[in-house]
C-alpha cells in the first residue's frame, strides 16, 4: 500500500524553471541578479523579505512532544551514504539545505542556508550565497567548503546522485560566502533548483575525531550522533528501535521567515516496527501519537475502539499530498531476468491480475486502477496523442511502439467470472506466443520444459494482502508465484542490487518532472546499482523522450513531452499497475493542533503542528 508519509517527503524536487521570472536581466556580468527563491512552475508567491509562509501559525507555541512511528529499522546516522538504513528525520531536523521548499507552491523553494542564488542566461552555472548567520551546532559558520564537501561526497557515496547530478561537473568556493556549481551543458533549467536541495554536512566535523578517539569516516555507517545546522539534535536512541530528537534552543535559523511557525515541538521521537499490526496497536494504546493509514480497509473497520469512538483520537481524510504529484504503484517484473524481458510475458501478467475482484472483496471498492505514471495530473497521457505531444512522438516514431499512435493505453478489466476467464485466455495466448504452453496444470517453456515460476519480493507483510491473491491468479494459468516478505535491511540490499524476479514499487512524480526521470527509466540507470530503474529498462526511444522532458523550454513542451514519455512507458508494459486513492487518512491523539487549513500540497505534520500542552496553551 502507499506509504504516504514517504511519498510527500520525496520527489517534489524536479523540473523546469519559469524562465520569464527567474532568469537574470541582461547587464553587467559582474553584477549578478540574486534571487531569494526559485520556482519551477510560474512565479514565486512570496516577495523578498516576506514574513512567513501563509500556511503556518506564526504564534504557534513552542513545547510539548510528539511520538511518531516508522516501518523498518535504522543502523546509520550518516545522511549521505547509501549503505545501511539511514535514520528517518535527519534531513530537515538535524541538517539544513541551501533552499527550503514551500508546501503551498509547486516545486518552489526559498533561501535557508543560502540567502540568494544567481545564474547566467544560459544556466551554465549556479552560485549560492550563504547567510552570514548560518551556524553549525558547535557555533562555527557554515562555509562554502562545507557545501563543496557535501556535494562531492553526495555524488561519491550515492549512485543515484551520480546520475542526478551527472551534469554538475564542479563545485568550488568563489567568494567568502559564495559557492558555484558549474555544468557541462547549458539550459538545463532544473539544475539550480535541485542543487538547492543538497543536504549540507559539516566538513570539519566529519574530518575530525569521534567520541571513541578515532578519526571519523564519512564513507562508513555510524551510530555516533551527528552534528548539523538544523533545528533539532539527536538526543537519544536505541539502535534500530527508536530515536529521539530535541529542539535546539540555540538554532541559528529559528526566526528566519522560512522557519517561522515551524519546528514547534520540544522533542520528536520515532519508534520503528517490523509488523504493521504491532505498529497500529502501539498507536491505539497511546504509545504512538500519530497514524497515517495505508490500508483503506483498516480505515473503515479498525477504528471502533473506545478512544476513537469517544473523540480522544481525531481522524481526517485529506487530499493535499496528491495535489502536486502523480503516482504509479505497481508490481515490477525485473527485465534483467528471463522471461520478463519478453513484452508479451509482461502483458500476460497484467491480464492475469483481476483488480476489480480484489477491489470488491478486499478494499470496499475504494480504489481506482492506475493507467498512467502521472495519474491524477495534467501530465497523464489519455486518448490518442495530439498537438505538441504528437509532434514529439513523431520525432522518435521509429523508436517507439506503433500502437502509441493508434490505441490509448487501457488495463484489462475483470470483476466478473466471464471477464476473468476472457482475460486468462488472453494471458495464455500471449504466453504461447512467447514460447510457453500449458501441460496439465503447469505453464512450461515449450523448448526446455522448465516450469514458469518466480518470486515476488515484498518489504512488508501488509503488502501480502494483494500479492497473495495475485499469486492465486497466476496459479489459475499454471504459473507458480511465490510471495516472500523480508526485513527492511534485507529488502533494501536486494532492491539496490536488483536481486528479485518481481517486486512492489511506488513512484511519486512532481508536476515538474526532470532529471530524476533518467534514474527511473534511463538506459544508463538500468545497470547502476541503487538506481530507481527497478524494471531494468534499456530503450533508446525512452531515452530520447527523457531528454525532451529535461530540456523542455516551456511548460507546454514539458507537459507534452511528459505525456509522450508516459504513453511509451505504458505501451511497453514495464509494470503491472495497481491502484490509488486520492485522499490520505490521518489519525492522531487529541493532544495537538494544526492550522485550520493544511498546507496546500502536504499535511504539514509535524513541522507546522503544535502541542496543546505547550507553553501558553
Amino acid at each position: 500500500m502507499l506509504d504516504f508519509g514517504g511519498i510527500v517527503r520525496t520527489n517534489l524536487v524536479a523540473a523546469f524553471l519559469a524562465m520569464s521570472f527567474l532568469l537574470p536581466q541582461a547587464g553587467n556580468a559582474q553584477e549578478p541578479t540574486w534571487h531569494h527563491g526559485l520556482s519551477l512552475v510560474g512565479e514565486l508567491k512570496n516577495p523578498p523579505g516576506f514574513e512567513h509562509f501563509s500556511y503556518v501559525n506564526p504564534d504557534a507555541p513552542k513545547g510539548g512532544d510528539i511520538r511518531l512511528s516508522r516501518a523498518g529499522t535504522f543502523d546509520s546516522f550518516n545522511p549521505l551514504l547509501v549503505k545501511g538504513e539511514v535514520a528517518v528525520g535527519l534531513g530537515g531536523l538535524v541538517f539544513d539545505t541551501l533552499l527550503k521548499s514551500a508546501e503551498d507552491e509547486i516545486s518552489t523553494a526559498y533561501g535557508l542556508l543560502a540567502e540568494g542564488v544567481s545564474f547566467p542566461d544560459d544556466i551554465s552555472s549556479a552560485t549560492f550565497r550563504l547567510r552570514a548567520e548560518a551556524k553549525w551546532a558547535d557555533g562555527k559558520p557554515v562555509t562554502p567548503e562545507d557545501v563543496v564537501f557535501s556535494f562531492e561526497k553526495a555524488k561519491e557515496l550515492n549512485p543515484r546522485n551520480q546520475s542526478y547530478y551527472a551534469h554538475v561537473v564542479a563545485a568550488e568556493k568563489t567568494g567568502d560566502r559564495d559557492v558555484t556549481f558549474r555544468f557541462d551543458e547549458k539550459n538545463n533549467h532544473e539544475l539550480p533548483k535541485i542543487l538547492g536541495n543538497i543536504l549540507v554536512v559539516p566538513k570539519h566535523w566529519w574530518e575530525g575525531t569521534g567520541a571513541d578517539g578515532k578519526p571519523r569516516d564519512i564513507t562508513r555507517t555510524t551510530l555516533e550522533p551527528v552534528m548539523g545546522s538544523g533545528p533539532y539534535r539527536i538526543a537519544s536512541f536505541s539502535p534500530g528501535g527508536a530515536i529521539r530528537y530535541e529542539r535546539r534552543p540555540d538554532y541559528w535559523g529559528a526566526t528566519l521567515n522560512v522557519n517561522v511557525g515551524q519546528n514547534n515541538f520540544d522533542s520528536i521521537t520515532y519508534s520503528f516496527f517490523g509488523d504493521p499490526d504491532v505498529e497500529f496497536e502501539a498507536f491505539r494504546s497511546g504509545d504512538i501519537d500519530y497514524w497515517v493509514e495505508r490500508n483503506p480497509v483498516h480505515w473503515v473497520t479498525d477504528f471502533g475502539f473506545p478512544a476513537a469512538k469517544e473523540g480522544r483520537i481525531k481522524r481526517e481524510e485529506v487530499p493535499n499530498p496528491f495535489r502536486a504529484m502523480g503516482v504509479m504503484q505497481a508490481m515490477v517484473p525485473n527485465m534483467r531476468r528471463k522471461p520478463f524481458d519478453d513484452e508479451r510475458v509482461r502483458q500476460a501478467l497484467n491480464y492475469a491480475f483481476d483488480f476489480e475482484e480484489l477491489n470488491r472483496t478486499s478494499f470496499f471498492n475504494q480504489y481506482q486502477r492506475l493507467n498512467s505514471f502521472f495519474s491524477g495530473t495534467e501530465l497523464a497521457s489519455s486518448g490518442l496523442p495530439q498537438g505538441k505531444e504528437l509532434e514529439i512522438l513523431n520525432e522518435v516514431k521509429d523508436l517507439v511502439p506503433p500502437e502509441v499512435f493508434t490505441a490509448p493505453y487501457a488495463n484489462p478489466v475483470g470483476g466478473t467470472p466471464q471477464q476473468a476467464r476472457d482475460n486468462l485466455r488472453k494471458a495464455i495466448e500471449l504466453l504461447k506466443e512467447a514460447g510457453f504452453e500449458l501441460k496439465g496444470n503447469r505453464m512450461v517453456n515449450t523448448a526446455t520444459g522448465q516450469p514458469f515460476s518466480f518470486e515476488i519480493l515484498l518489504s512488508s507483510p501488509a503488502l501480502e494482502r494483494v500479492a497473495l491473491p495475485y499469486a492465486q491468479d497466476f496459479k489459475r494459468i499454471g504459473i507458480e508465484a511465490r510471495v516472500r516478505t523480508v526485513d527492511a535491511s534485507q529488502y533494501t540490499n536486494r532492491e539496490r542490487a536488483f536481486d528479485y524476479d518481481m517486486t512492489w514499487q511506488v513512484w511519486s512524480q512532481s508536476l515538474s518532472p526532470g532529471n530524476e526521470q533518467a534514474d527511473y527509466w534511463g538506459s544508463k540507470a538500468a545497470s547502476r546499482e541503487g538506481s530507481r530503474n527497478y524494471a531494468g529498462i534499456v530503450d533508446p526511444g525512452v531515452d530520447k523522450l527523457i531528454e525532451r522532458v529535461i530540456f523542455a523550454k516551456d511548460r507546454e513542451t514539458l507537459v507534452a513531452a511528459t505525456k509522450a514519455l508516459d504513453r511509451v512507458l505504458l505501451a511497453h508494459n514495464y509494470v503491472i499497475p495497481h491502484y490509488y486513492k486520492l485522499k490520505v487518512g490521518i489519525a492522531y491523539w487529541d493532544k495537538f493542533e494544526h492550522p485550520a487549513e493544511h498546507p496546500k500540497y502536504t499535511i504539514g505534520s509535524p513541522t507546522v503542528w503544535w502541542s496543546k500542552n505547550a507553553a501558553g496553551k
Side-chain angles (χ1 to χ4, degrees):
M1 284 51 176
L2 292 179
D3 182 353
F4 298 107
I7 288 177
V8 299
R9 289 189 301 272
T10 65
N11 282 351
L12 294 176
V13 296
F16 145 83
L17 292 173
M19 300 281 290
S20 62
F21 181 76
L22 293 176
L23 289 180
Q25 303 299 310
N28 190 336
Q30 296 181 343
E31 297 179 1
T33 300
W34 292 96
H35 307 284
H36 70 291
L38 295 178
S39 176
L40 306 187
V41 181
E43 297 186 352
L44 294 169
K45 173 182 176 180
N46 296 294
F50 69 97
E51 294 184 1
H52 56 78
F53 291 129
S54 60
Y55 52 82
V56 306
N57 173 9
D59 301 316
K62 305 291 185 183
D65 311 289
I66 187 168
R67 299 166 300 172
L68 307 174
S69 64
R70 282 292 182 273
T73 184
F74 72 93
D75 59 13
S76 178
F77 294 140
N78 184 342
L80 301 185
L81 186 63
V82 74
K83 297 177 182 177
E85 296 288 336
V86 180
V88 65
L90 292 177
L93 296 182
V94 175
F95 295 101
D96 281 332
T97 49
L98 294 172
L99 305 178
K100 182 169 183 173
S101 295
E103 297 182 12
D104 62 345
E105 299 178 75
I106 298 171
S107 296
T108 297
Y110 296 86
L112 181 53
L113 285 173
E115 65 181 18
V117 55
S118 68
F119 38 85
D121 290 351
D122 62 2
I123 320 181
S124 57
S125 66
T127 298
F128 292 83
R129 176 160 291 173
L130 298 174
R131 296 184 189 273
E133 65 270 30
K135 299 288 193 299
W136 298 108
D138 63 2
K140 293 184 178 181
V142 178
T143 67
E145 288 86 353
D146 293 318
V147 179
V148 172
F149 176 80
S150 300
F151 170 75
E152 291 178 345
K153 292 303 179 182
K155 283 191 69 174
E156 174 189 336
L157 302 176
N158 190 329
R160 290 182 180 177
N161 290 334
Q162 293 168 16
S163 170
Y164 203 42
Y165 302 125
H167 297 291
V168 185
V169 294
E172 56 192 56
K173 178 179 179 179
T174 51
D176 289 342
R177 291 188 285 120
D178 294 353
V179 58
T180 297
F181 298 91
R182 306 197 185 280
F183 313 144
D184 67 357
E185 62 182 11
K186 298 178 181 179
N187 300 311
N188 186 329
H189 310 293
E190 178 188 16
L191 287 177
K193 168 65 171 60
I194 66 174
L195 288 166
N197 292 280
I198 291 172
L199 204 68
V200 181
V201 302
K203 183 175 186 286
H204 70 279
W205 190 89
W206 281 101
E207 293 183 341
T209 301
D212 59 2
K214 299 179 180 179
R216 296 187 180 99
D217 185 355
I218 200 169
T219 67
R220 304 181 65 181
T221 62
T222 181
L223 283 174
E224 179 184 5
V226 289
M227 184 186 73
S229 62
Y232 288 82
R233 68 178 184 88
I234 300 172
S236 61
F237 66 95
S238 171
I243 180 171
R244 183 172 182 268
Y245 297 97
E246 284 185 353
R247 187 162 52 85
R248 290 176 45 210
D250 60 345
Y251 173 47
W252 71 272
T255 61
L256 205 62
N257 55 2
V258 295
N259 288 327
V260 170
Q262 304 178 61
N263 307 314
N264 300 315
F265 294 102
D266 280 345
S267 73
I268 300 173
T269 301
Y270 288 93
S271 296
F272 295 80
F273 297 85
D275 186 321
D277 292 331
V278 176
E279 184 181 1
F280 182 74
E281 186 59 36
F283 167 73
R284 193 168 74 163
S285 65
D287 293 330
I288 299 298
D289 295 321
Y290 179 86
W291 181 259
V292 177
E293 184 52 72
R294 304 170 182 88
N295 187 331
V297 175
H298 291 170
W299 189 252
V300 174
T301 63
D302 288 5
F303 282 85
F305 54 95
K309 286 183 174 180
E310 296 164 6
R312 289 182 286 137
I313 285 179
K314 303 292 185 182
R315 291 205 294 165
E316 302 177 34
E317 282 193 299
V318 293
N320 304 50
F322 287 106
R323 291 172 176 163
M325 72 169 67
V327 174
M328 170 56 80
Q329 179 173 224
M331 287 292 192
V332 185
N334 187 354
M335 294 192 297
R336 302 169 186 86
R337 299 181 176 183
K338 292 184 177 298
F340 303 121
D341 58 338
D342 191 311
E343 186 170 322
R344 294 164 297 187
V345 171
R346 301 194 301 273
Q347 189 176 11
L349 299 182
N350 197 10
Y351 271 98
F353 180 37
D354 193 341
F355 161 74
E356 287 73 20
E357 179 68 9
L358 179 70
N359 196 29
R360 181 183 67 83
T361 58
S362 298
F363 298 130
F364 297 90
N365 286 318
Q366 293 190 65
Y367 279 131
Q368 178 179 337
R369 187 89 189 267
L370 293 165
N371 59 5
S372 169
F373 286 85
F374 301 84
S375 294
T377 74
E378 66 170 334
L379 303 171
S381 59
S382 63
L384 293 177
Q386 299 178 358
K388 190 75 173 180
E389 181 192 356
L390 181 59
E391 291 178 21
I392 292 171
L393 285 169
N394 277 322
E395 293 172 5
V396 291
K397 190 170 186 177
D398 295 338
L399 299 175
V400 301
E403 57 265 30
V404 302
F405 297 95
T406 59
Y409 176 83
N411 288 303
V413 176
T416 69
Q418 183 61 51
Q419 288 171 312
R421 285 192 294 269
D422 291 344
N423 287 339
L424 291 177
R425 275 196 292 268
K426 179 64 175 178
I428 292 171
E429 291 173 9
L430 288 164
L431 290 168
K432 185 176 181 179
E433 293 175 15
F436 290 88
E437 62 180 335
L438 267 175
K439 284 193 173 181
N441 60 353
R442 304 186 76 182
M443 184 68 67
V444 300
N445 186 296
T446 303
T448 67
Q450 185 73 23
F452 189 169
S453 66
F454 65 94
E455 179 183 88
I456 302 174
L457 181 69
L458 303 179
S459 62
S460 169
L463 305 180
E464 294 174 2
R465 188 181 187 93
V466 173
L468 290 172
Y470 190 27
Q472 288 300 311
D473 290 339
F474 287 134
K475 190 174 182 180
R476 296 173 66 186
I477 55 174
I479 296 175
E480 180 192 8
R482 304 174 304 279
V483 176
R484 184 179 182 189
T485 302
V486 299
D487 61 51
S489 179
Q490 185 179 354
Y491 183 83
T492 298
N493 290 333
R494 290 187 62 177
E495 177 191 73
R496 289 171 180 164
F498 309 123
D499 181 18
Y500 48 81
D501 298 326
M502 179 184 287
T503 189
W504 183 311
Q505 289 295 339
V506 179
W507 292 271
S508 58
Q509 299 276 7
S510 86
L511 294 185
S512 345
N515 287 291
E516 79 291 340
Q517 301 300 306
D519 193 54
Y520 294 166
W521 332 115
S523 296
K524 291 181 180 178
S527 59
R528 188 179 64 249
E529 287 196 8
S531 82
R532 287 165 288 187
N533 187 342
Y534 304 115
I537 300 169
V538 178
D539 186 271
V542 171
D543 291 337
K544 289 288 186 182
L545 291 171
I546 291 171
E547 290 180 10
R548 292 291 270 127
V549 170
I550 293 174
F551 291 99
K553 297 182 181 300
D554 52 49
R555 182 68 185 175
E556 179 190 7
T557 304
L558 176 68
V559 171
T562 304
K563 287 183 175 181
L565 174 62
D566 182 41
R567 193 179 298 274
V568 170
L569 291 172
L570 292 167
H572 280 298
N573 294 284
Y574 290 132
V575 302
I576 295 90
H578 279 188
Y579 45 81
Y580 74 113
K581 184 180 179 182
L582 283 176
K583 289 185 179 180
V584 182
I586 60 171
Y588 53 94
W589 284 83
D590 189 20
K591 301 189 293 185
F592 311 105
E593 294 183 347
H594 59 71
E597 295 289 334
H598 294 290
K600 186 172 183 179
Y601 298 116
T602 73
I603 300 172
S605 172
T607 311
V608 305
W609 291 36
W610 62 91
S611 172
K612 286 185 175 181
N613 299 321
K617 297 301 291 182

